[in-house]
Amino acid sequence: MKRMTVFFLLCALMLGLCGCGDKGTEELDGAALVKALLDGGAFSQKLEELPASKATAFYGVDSARLTEALLYHASGVSKEQIAVFHMESAEAAGEVVTLLQQTLEGWIAADRDYAPEEVPKLEKAVLRQSGAWVVLVVANDPTAAARTVGEYI
């Protein structure tokens, strides 16, 4: 009887542990993440939605491997933005992360003279990948943005 009880307790423990870890990123609701970011007070500028087609033009993302893109940008010289990409695979998402890192480095170099007030935002940009999802957030309050992103991925 003791062995049976121990066996069932171990099974319950293993089932409980299986639920830990990954936050189900394949089921990520990109629109809910964007709404939470927009409502979270991390931005000093109003962000406007851009069409998903700008993912290729603005970021260089391969549209053939992109399944969803949610893009929001501030107007003018501000670099504040939200970009949420769902790619066809984790490998494609990894390529987007590399591409976005290079893009951020280019923006930082260009803005040192052009818009130096934007450089700290770019240097503290939130860039995360989880599975086939990639999130880039450039915000006035990067800590708040990172906290919100962390709640989703």
Side-chain angles (χ1 to χ4, degrees):
M1 185 69 170
K2 279 187 178 180
R3 285 185 181 177
M4 197 67 117
T5 303
V6 170
F7 173 77
F8 285 117
L9 287 174
L10 286 174
C11 287
L13 178 63
M14 289 176 65
L15 285 173
L17 290 175
C18 289
C20 297
D22 188 4
K23 295 182 182 179
T25 57
E26 291 309 313
E27 300 301 321
L28 176 71
D29 183 347
L33 170 57
V34 167
K35 182 173 179 356
L37 285 164
L38 291 171
D39 293 344
F43 302 97
S44 64
Q45 306 286 320
K46 180 174 173 34
L47 302 185
E48 300 293 329
E49 185 174 8
L50 297 177
S53 61
K54 295 288 185 187
T56 300
F58 198 68
Y59 299 99
V61 174
D62 182 357
S63 62
R65 301 178 77 189
L66 178 68
T67 60
E68 180 180 6
L70 301 165
L71 309 173
Y72 288 76
H73 278 262
S75 61
V77 298
S78 177
K79 290 292 195 274
E80 292 187 26
Q81 61 191 279
I82 301 169
V84 178
F85 303 103
H86 187 226
M87 303 303 293
E88 69 179 5
S89 67
E91 178 186 345
E95 293 170 10
V96 169
V97 168
T98 301
L99 182 65
L100 292 175
Q101 287 169 333
Q102 293 168 349
T103 300
L104 284 168
E105 290 168 10
W107 287 342
I108 290 168
D111 280 353
R112 287 211 190 277
D113 293 326
Y114 178 65
E117 68 280 359
E118 295 300 308
V119 172
K121 296 176 190 178
L122 293 166
E123 290 174 335
K124 294 179 181 177
V126 178
L127 178 57
R128 301 241 177 99
Q129 176 189 355
S130 185
W133 289 92
V134 177
V135 176
L136 170 66
V137 182
V138 178
N140 190 52
D141 184 349
T143 303
R147 185 174 34 252
T148 300
V149 171
E151 292 172 6
Y152 286 82
I153 63 171

